[in-house]
Amino acid sequence: MKDAIITWNKTYFDGENRLLPISNQLYCNFYDDNLGGWTIDLRFDEPPRIQGYKSKGKVGFMMDNAPSHILKKGYVFDVFHGPHKVGICEIISISSISIMNILDRVESLEIEKQDFKMYVSSIRDDSFDYSDDELKKLIKYSSDYPYLFSLVLKLNKEIALEYLKQYYLKYPIKNNAVYHSSLSLFLFNIDKYLGRENFNKFIKELPKNVNEDEIIKSAIEEILL
């Protein structure tokens, strides 16, 4: 087995109709005009769905008589699932890992996050089914993906507001995650989607010691400016 980076085909794994593989082991196909077709074995410490569109793993041929000699550092080939090209595989060397490899991974994650944000933003309120339990699970990721808060807020404002009270507006404020949060953005979304009257009502109903906290007052002032 050789160390490899698999760059998955975003047209095939579009994130909506077909997600990245969740398995730690995959059997795919290799085709070459001169070498013929072979089954390859792809293995991952973390599934591609966790790693993203650039996944580090190991690759090898399934048959002993396969052309394993070609799997050398720098060799690049297409990976197929039946007739579909699902990715590109590049043979690497562990010793070749550098800062550029880390930067590539960061850039890949940032692209993935941006794609996810655009996908969430494109969802219409009436375009999918959901339950309250599912929304409660989803909104807990708002600290990492703030735009999920606005999605849940539009679908079920009670769940969104309760989440905010429980995790960001519980006294003492400085013990919460508020310093590293998107509290101002969350409050802006309340004002935007529920209206100024409901925003003022929500703020007024908060405990006095929360409303008088300087962090909260500053976040509210940003909305009222």
Side-chain angles (χ1 to χ4, degrees):
M1 301 291 286
K2 301 293 184 178
D3 294 297
I5 295 291
I6 294 83
T7 302
W8 300 104
N9 184 352
K10 287 189 176 182
T11 302
Y12 186 77
F13 295 107
D14 60 5
E16 185 173 356
N17 296 314
R18 187 177 288 105
L19 302 177
L20 287 172
I22 193 62
S23 175
N24 291 82
Q25 184 173 19
L26 301 170
Y27 298 108
C28 295
N29 303 110
F30 167 94
Y31 298 110
D32 184 273
D33 291 340
N34 298 317
L35 300 173
W38 301 89
T39 300
I40 57 173
D41 181 6
L42 297 173
R43 301 184 187 183
F44 307 93
D45 289 336
E46 286 186 315
R49 196 175 300 177
I50 301 298
Q51 294 195 53
Y53 279 93
K54 279 193 174 182
S55 301
K56 182 180 176 182
K58 291 183 178 293
V59 60
F61 287 104
M62 293 294 294
M63 302 296 291
D64 293 337
N65 62 336
S68 299
H69 63 279
I70 65 173
L71 300 181
K72 296 179 180 180
K73 178 185 173 183
Y75 182 66
V76 178
F77 61 93
D78 293 334
V79 177
F80 289 86
H81 180 68
H84 303 289
K85 178 181 173 180
V86 297
I88 299 173
C89 180
E90 178 182 359
I91 306 302
I92 63 170
S93 170
I94 292 296
S95 61
S96 69
I97 299 299
S98 66
I99 292 298
M100 286 307 301
N101 295 114
I102 298 174
L103 286 173
D104 286 344
R105 184 69 182 273
V106 170
E107 289 173 2
S108 177
L109 290 172
E110 289 302 311
I111 292 172
E112 185 78 6
K113 287 169 65 176
Q114 186 62 30
D115 287 347
F116 180 55
K117 182 178 181 180
M118 292 175 63
Y119 169 68
V120 172
S121 299
S122 70
I123 296 174
R124 302 191 315 274
D125 298 353
D126 59 350
S127 63
F128 63 101
D129 296 322
Y130 59 88
S131 68
D132 287 352
D133 285 341
E134 289 171 338
L135 291 182
K136 289 176 182 178
K137 291 179 181 178
L138 181 64
I139 200 170
K140 289 182 179 181
Y141 292 97
S142 293
S143 58
D144 295 316
Y145 309 100
Y147 39 87
L148 292 178
F149 178 84
S150 59
L151 174 65
V152 176
L153 181 67
K154 289 184 287 185
L155 298 175
N156 189 315
K157 67 178 183 180
E158 285 78 16
I159 289 176
L161 298 181
E162 182 57 34
Y163 166 80
L164 199 59
K165 291 177 182 177
Q166 182 177 356
Y167 291 98
Y168 293 89
L169 300 175
K170 183 180 292 185
Y171 195 82
I173 300 299
K174 64 182 180 180
N175 290 346
N176 303 335
V178 69
Y179 286 120
H180 312 285
S181 74
S182 301
L183 178 61
S184 295
L185 176 60
F186 293 164
L187 293 177
F188 172 79
N189 285 330
I190 294 172
D191 185 48
K192 176 180 179 181
Y193 294 112
L194 301 186
R196 181 58 55 88
E197 183 178 347
N198 285 318
F199 173 79
N200 289 334
K201 180 181 178 183
F202 173 72
I203 297 301
K204 185 177 181 181
E205 291 175 351
L206 293 175
K208 183 178 180 181
N209 52 7
V210 171
N211 257 322
E212 293 179 348
D213 187 275
E214 289 301 319
I215 298 173
I216 303 303
K217 288 168 66 176
S218 175
I220 294 173
E221 286 172 1
E222 288 186 39
I223 308 301
L224 300 179
L225 287 178

